[in-house]
Amino acid sequence: MAYVITQACCNDASCIPVCPVNCIHPTPDEAPFMRTEMLHIDPEACIDCGACVEECPVEAIVAEDELTEEEEPYRELNADYFRVHPFDGAPPDFESPGPVEDLADLRVAIVGSGPSAFFAAMALDDLRGPVVQMYERLYTPFGLVRYGVAPDHQTTKAVTRQFASLHRSKTFTLNLGVEVGKHVSHEELLAHNHAVVYAVGASSDRRMEIAGEDLPGSHAATEFVGWYNGHPDHTHHTFDLSGTRAVIVGNGNVALDVARILLSDPEHLHTDSDIADHALEALRNSRIKEVVVVGRRGIAQAGYTNPEMIALCNLPDVDVIFDPSEVRTDDVVQHVLDDEETESSVDFKVRFAQEHAGTGTGRSKRLVMRFLASPMRIHGEGRVESVEIALNRLEVDDDGSVSATATGATDVIDTGLVFRSVGYRGVAVPGVPFDERRGVIANEHGRVIDPETREQLRGVYTTGWIKRGPSGAIGTNKKCADDVVKSLVEDFLAETLDSPASSQEDLDETIASRQPDRLDFEDWTRLDRAEREAGGSRGRPRIKFIDAGTMLDVVRSGRQALDI
């Protein structure tokens, strides 16, 4: 018997070092790691020891004889990886720690509190010495895990449990409700620390740049995701769910999350998710019966991961429709599959779509996957009424790459609701160089640079999506953060970083004068506990607090109870 990695895999690689036979891949030092959609266990090499099960932070590893019917595809998905990357039987080759350097004088500020920020803080904390201050503009930490991961993916959200160790650290401080550019400047952070690490994620979206994009009824998927996840910046949005069809442009995981939320039974969302109350109420009254997901290229280039599609195909009372003519293996698809650089996940994606192609079984709701189609314009008098799409064909370019070319044919999809999901992009931080074209902080391997001179800004670093763009899974940020921390420490030991000009106490006083309602890690534990208790009384994982006033009231009440 072997173990199998399933949908919840977060790619943080904590399972890899504990495997005695090195059968979990790709490892962080292997090329496919930064682009893999999940980790895999070689069924032929696994010795059934179970060490990885205990280590996994999201309970994604299951014994193969305990797989449910819905999880069965993961048996094949794990094995497929090793057809492309055969297991060589080599023993684990983990880098042994070098001599411990004295880092007690190192002071680092981290801006942001998502996974990349916490992974960076944990990497610094593991060095036993650096003093770390983390700054987050919201009153809640964990960034995209709290406000981006779908509310019904509770096992994925469990990745944040490992960050709780920092609550016990004497050299780590979490500062919630502190915004860089408002309560503290970049220059002030740099003056009080050896280094500042920006891990602020990618909170904005890319536009389609087509006519009608700003009509009422046309929205960014990021707005909808923030709305149903209770993000304070998005709770004011409203969405007209009175029509029967919605169209989503783009076919990455965010697009599929939006589709799944629109088509899910609200009772399932009530019991098995932490979706915001206002969103749950709106979805109870929704009339949406069909969601059409439109992708510019073909099935082999689809942006979603296999685990997301497997989950969608297991939604009760929802037909997932693939047009057989759009997912067939033609010469171009075969060219992609034959390329030695093509990962096994692409081959699985094509086969899975072909196996599920057809017109459905007559269930009450439908998810229609459209490929080889690009939005041309959104039509409507005063609001969205339809989307006009151009039909494409794929061509192999001279360099072997594949591109979509318009055939000249068009189609019109009637709808009153359109979501664009064509990519996230970062937002500039005041005082920090920004690459507008890529939507990231200007950097080379995590060291922030002046985009004109290409010179490094001493003591300024970046990690996560704001460093490399929106790519990879949650755990991908761990390697990204580890690499940046390694560079930061190298620079500190080489004495190329400026020493702080003033004490942390001075900076704390300055921030307190501008933001007297700053919260810390202990305050967050009070909020977390109160949300879970509120959810438990209603049979839900948690009830999210969505406004600052309520959060502050809960914290003050908790502090007062402690003082009694």
Side-chain angles (χ1 to χ4, degrees):
M1 183 188 76
Y3 282 92
V4 178
I5 297 178
T6 63
Q7 179 187 359
C9 179
C10 67
N11 292 40
D12 88 325
S14 57
C15 55
I16 292 174
V18 301
C19 177
V21 293
N22 193 27
C23 73
I24 305 176
H25 293 267
T27 64
D29 60 347
E30 293 173 342
F33 181 81
M34 292 300 287
R35 61 177 184 270
T36 190
E37 62 184 31
M38 59 180 285
L39 303 182
H40 314 81
I41 294 176
D42 187 339
E44 299 299 323
C46 178
I47 60 172
D48 188 27
C49 70
C52 56
V53 177
E54 298 299 321
E55 198 68 24
C56 179
V58 294
E59 301 178 358
I61 304 176
V62 180
E64 63 178 345
D65 61 353
E66 296 178 2
L67 290 171
T68 65
E69 182 179 351
E70 291 80 10
E71 293 170 333
E72 272 297 325
Y74 291 98
R75 187 196 304 267
E76 182 180 357
L77 197 54
N78 277 250
D80 277 359
Y81 180 83
F82 296 95
R83 289 192 297 101
V84 177
H85 305 280
F87 179 63
D88 60 10
D93 182 22
F94 300 116
E95 183 178 338
S96 58
V100 178
E101 301 283 354
D102 183 6
L103 300 174
D105 292 332
L106 176 58
R107 283 161 48 183
V108 180
I110 298 176
V111 181
S113 70
S116 58
F118 268 97
F119 283 132
M122 290 178 69
L124 287 163
D125 195 63
D126 286 344
L127 297 175
R128 301 292 193 273
V131 175
V132 178
Q133 296 277 338
M134 181 179 288
Y135 299 94
E136 164 60 53
R137 71 179 183 89
L138 300 177
Y139 282 128
T140 53
F142 307 141
L144 205 63
V145 176
R146 180 176 171 94
Y147 293 122
V149 172
D152 56 344
H153 284 1
Q154 290 296 301
T155 51
T156 303
K157 290 174 180 282
V159 70
T160 60
R161 293 173 186 165
Q162 62 188 299
F163 304 147
S165 63
L166 289 171
H167 185 200
R168 301 184 294 273
S169 173
K170 296 181 179 179
T171 56
F172 173 82
T173 303
L174 178 62
N175 300 273
L176 298 171
V178 178
E179 183 174 352
V180 175
K182 180 178 180 181
H183 303 120
V184 64
S185 69
H186 164 70
E187 291 76 16
E188 287 173 322
L189 287 178
L190 198 56
H192 290 79
N193 292 275
H194 291 92
V196 182
V197 180
Y198 286 93
V200 294
S203 58
S204 186
D205 67 284
R206 298 186 182 277
R207 292 177 59 84
M208 296 183 289
E209 305 296 346
I210 61 173
E213 186 172 7
D214 294 320
L215 280 171
S218 173
H219 307 275
T222 53
E223 296 172 350
F224 190 64
V225 171
W227 173 77
Y228 66 60
N229 271 319
H231 193 296
D233 292 350
H234 297 288
T235 55
H236 66 283
H237 291 300
T238 58
F239 301 92
D240 184 358
L241 306 179
S242 63
T244 58
R245 177 186 290 140
V247 173
I248 304 172
V249 178
N251 59 16
N253 280 355
V254 173
L256 265 58
D257 280 345
V258 170
R260 193 178 64 259
I261 295 300
L262 286 170
L263 295 172
S264 288
D265 181 349
E267 293 311 309
H268 160 72
L269 294 176
H270 173 88
T271 57
D272 298 328
S273 85
D274 60 4
I275 192 169
D277 275 355
H278 60 262
L280 184 59
E281 183 61 27
L283 290 165
R284 289 187 192 280
N285 297 312
S286 170
R287 297 181 61 231
I288 299 292
K289 297 296 182 183
E290 179 179 281
V291 176
V292 181
V293 175
V294 177
R296 178 172 58 90
R297 297 192 292 172
I299 179 62
Q301 295 81 30
Y304 63 81
T305 61
N306 286 303
E308 285 296 323
M309 181 53 70
I310 291 170
L312 264 172
C313 287
N314 288 322
L315 269 185
D317 208 27
V318 176
D319 277 330
V320 179
I321 310 297
F322 293 94
D323 184 333
S325 67
E326 292 181 352
V327 298
R328 65 187 179 89
T329 303
D330 58 15
D331 290 344
V332 177
V333 172
Q334 193 62 54
H335 166 80
V336 173
L337 297 180
D338 289 342
D339 189 334
E340 61 181 15
E341 295 296 318
T342 297
E343 288 295 333
S344 60
S345 57
V346 175
D347 184 56
F348 182 95
K349 186 178 295 181
V350 172
R351 295 199 317 270
F352 190 85
Q354 291 171 346
E355 291 168 2
H356 288 76
T359 58
T361 59
R363 295 175 177 177
S364 65
K365 296 180 181 180
R366 291 164 35 108
L367 170 64
V368 181
M369 300 297 297
R370 293 285 304 266
F371 299 94
L372 301 171
S374 299
M376 295 175 62
R377 61 183 58 86
I378 298 175
H379 296 283
E381 293 294 330
R383 64 164 297 105
V384 172
E385 296 176 1
S386 64
V387 181
E388 185 176 357
I389 58 175
L391 305 185
N392 302 327
R393 65 173 178 271
L394 293 182
E395 296 181 349
V396 179
D397 299 329
D398 292 340
D399 62 358
S401 62
V402 174
S403 59
T405 302
T407 64
T410 62
D411 193 7
V412 174
I413 306 173
D414 292 331
T415 183
L417 184 61
V418 175
F419 294 102
R420 65 176 182 272
S421 183
V422 293
Y424 282 82
R425 61 177 282 117
V427 176
V429 177
V432 182
F434 191 71
D435 184 334
E436 286 289 350
R437 183 182 64 82
R438 295 182 57 215
V440 299
I441 289 176
N443 76 95
E444 288 184 354
H445 307 296
R447 291 182 171 98
V448 176
I449 61 171
D450 182 314
E452 294 184 2
T453 65
R454 311 301 294 177
E455 291 184 1
Q456 179 187 349
L457 272 64
R458 185 177 300 186
V460 189
Y461 303 84
T462 184
T463 187
W465 280 12
I466 195 63
K467 169 199 169 208
R468 67 181 191 276
S471 64
I474 292 173
T476 311
N477 293 298
K478 187 173 188 296
K479 173 174 169 50
C480 187
D482 287 348
D483 290 345
V484 170
V485 167
K486 183 178 180 181
S487 297
L488 187 160
V489 171
E490 287 176 354
D491 293 346
F492 175 73
L493 295 175
E495 299 183 352
T496 62
L497 303 183
D498 293 331
S499 296
S502 188
S503 69
Q504 181 62 43
E505 289 73 17
D506 289 341
L507 182 60
D508 289 344
E509 290 180 7
T510 299
I511 293 174
S513 68
R514 300 168 183 167
Q515 169 53 309
D517 292 324
R518 179 193 71 86
L519 304 186
D520 59 20
F521 217 138
E522 185 61 32
D523 294 324
W524 160 243
T525 63
R526 294 185 179 101
L527 281 172
D528 180 48
R529 183 167 54 251
E531 286 188 341
R532 292 179 183 277
E533 289 175 352
S537 66
R538 292 169 52 185
R540 303 190 59 196
R542 73 167 65 232
I543 301 295
K544 286 181 176 176
F545 302 129
I546 61 175
D547 67 277
T550 300
M551 295 180 192
L552 290 173
D553 287 345
V554 169
V555 168
R556 289 167 184 150
S557 176
R559 289 174 178 173
Q560 291 170 359
L562 191 64
D563 292 337
I564 295 176

